[in-house]
Amino acid sequence: MTDAAARPARDRPVLIGAAEMAEIDQAAQRLGLSPDALMESAGAAVADVGQVELGSLAAGLLDPPLSVILCGPGNNGGDGFVIARRMAAAGRRVLVILVGDAGRIGGSAAAHNWAALQAMAAGGSLELFVAPNPDLLLVLRPRLSPATLLVDALLGSGASGPLREPISTAVDLLNAVRTHALAAGRPCSVLAVDTPTRIDMTNGSRSDPVVVADLTVSFHRAKAGFALDKEARRLAGRYFVAPIGIPLEAEEGIVPPDGEYPPSRISQINWEEPVSVEQQRVRPGEGIGAGPGIED
């Protein structure tokens, strides 16, 4: 057992990109963490943030607020399936749209959670739709329009290149629903999973169209692309990092030994100006823990 006092101080700021996160994720799985466990932890963290945001937005609404989760067929969509399951299990009104073909759902973890959503939809706990083409998405627009919370679980860290259909139409639709709601004076927030679709987490470059988020929850560590690019930060909105149970051993050879510890709880990241401890306590986000403040 290593003596804690003999370990090097971990105080060097750390930012990672998409490739480093993929390596860390793979190393965590070699250490014994299953893809299902990682996906469950990620989805649970975003659902917790979503619940807090929804509670804030829903104050004064006459009807129960609607949460719409737009999911791609990959692991980011799998996180969205977990979010939908957990929010519906908490009694929230939830509508899920798989933006793509169900036959293309990738990975066992996403497939397991898709099966659970199908069972919940059959039991009436949530609404579930499949939209493999832009026309079907546009038909569903009236179902999305009343949403108070829109969750972007379309594409994550593994995506690259120009957006393809039906993802591109889904991004336009999500942005339009948010814009129209705010113009009408109705509360509506977009919550992005890991990164808004599609901002590159390594360098901050972005697709056209790109999701405009009000808050983003990334996993394990803050991503370099948002530190490097001011527009990427604006599009991400309030930026949170959530732990998902990855041990430090999974970072060996990727993060320097003196790199700061990853957040141990859901933490809001301040990209530009640090805030005082007093401001930290009242920062928007309510029950969500903020990042470390500074003592003046």
Side-chain angles (χ1 to χ4, degrees):
M1 181 179 295
T2 304
D3 183 356
R7 296 173 186 167
R10 301 191 65 120
D11 52 9
R12 181 189 296 188
V14 174
L15 292 167
I16 61 174
E20 289 86 1
M21 188 64 230
E23 290 180 45
I24 291 169
D25 186 86
Q26 291 164 9
Q29 292 182 48
R30 289 195 296 272
L31 289 170
L33 288 178
S34 70
D36 289 81
L38 292 168
M39 185 171 287
E40 188 68 25
S41 295
V46 181
D48 286 347
V49 174
Q51 290 274 43
V52 173
E53 182 74 4
L54 200 57
S56 175
L57 294 171
L61 292 180
L62 297 178
D63 297 321
L66 172 66
S67 298
V68 172
I69 294 94
L70 294 164
C71 302
N75 284 331
N76 196 253
D79 294 340
F81 300 159
V82 175
I83 297 162
R85 170 167 51 79
R86 284 179 165 265
M87 293 189 75
R92 297 293 190 180
R93 288 176 61 209
V94 172
L95 184 151
V96 185
I97 301 176
L98 173 61
V99 182
D101 190 331
R104 296 185 60 192
I105 291 175
S108 60
H112 294 160
N113 284 291
W114 174 248
L117 284 195
Q118 289 179 299
M120 293 178 75
S125 295
L126 52 77
E127 294 184 272
L128 182 61
F129 297 92
V130 178
N133 60 63
D135 290 340
L136 285 174
L137 268 176
L138 296 176
V139 168
L140 289 168
R141 177 169 181 160
R143 307 297 294 268
L144 275 67
S145 295
T148 299
L149 183 69
L150 293 156
V151 178
D152 166 22
L154 292 166
L155 295 176
S157 60
S160 61
L163 296 186
R164 292 178 289 186
E165 294 292 4
I167 298 292
S168 181
T169 294
V171 170
D172 281 333
L173 182 57
L174 186 152
N175 286 337
V177 170
R178 175 183 180 271
T179 298
H180 291 165
L182 297 180
R186 185 171 57 78
C188 180
S189 285
V190 171
L191 168 56
V193 179
D194 214 10
T195 182
T197 301
R198 191 197 61 90
I199 295 177
D200 188 288
M201 294 196 293
T202 302
N203 59 29
S205 63
R206 47 209 165 268
S207 59
D208 182 16
V210 62
V211 165
V212 180
D214 296 282
L215 59 166
T216 296
V217 180
S218 195
F219 307 122
H220 187 58
R221 286 190 181 273
K223 304 309 187 295
F226 298 97
L228 294 170
D229 192 288
K230 185 175 182 179
E231 181 63 7
R233 294 196 296 274
R234 183 189 72 81
L235 292 166
R238 287 170 282 148
Y239 188 91
F240 298 88
V241 175
I244 56 173
I246 292 176
L248 290 174
E249 287 76 9
E251 297 186 332
E252 290 182 3
I254 303 167
V255 172
D258 60 347
E260 63 186 356
Y261 289 102
S264 60
R265 61 190 177 100
I266 300 173
S267 302
Q268 186 172 351
I269 304 301
N270 305 304
W271 296 115
E272 297 179 294
E273 295 296 329
V275 299
S276 69
V277 172
E278 305 306 318
Q279 290 173 306
Q280 171 188 293
R281 293 193 186 108
V282 298
R283 187 180 310 147
E286 299 188 351
I288 309 291
I294 59 170
E295 300 275 5
D296 290 330

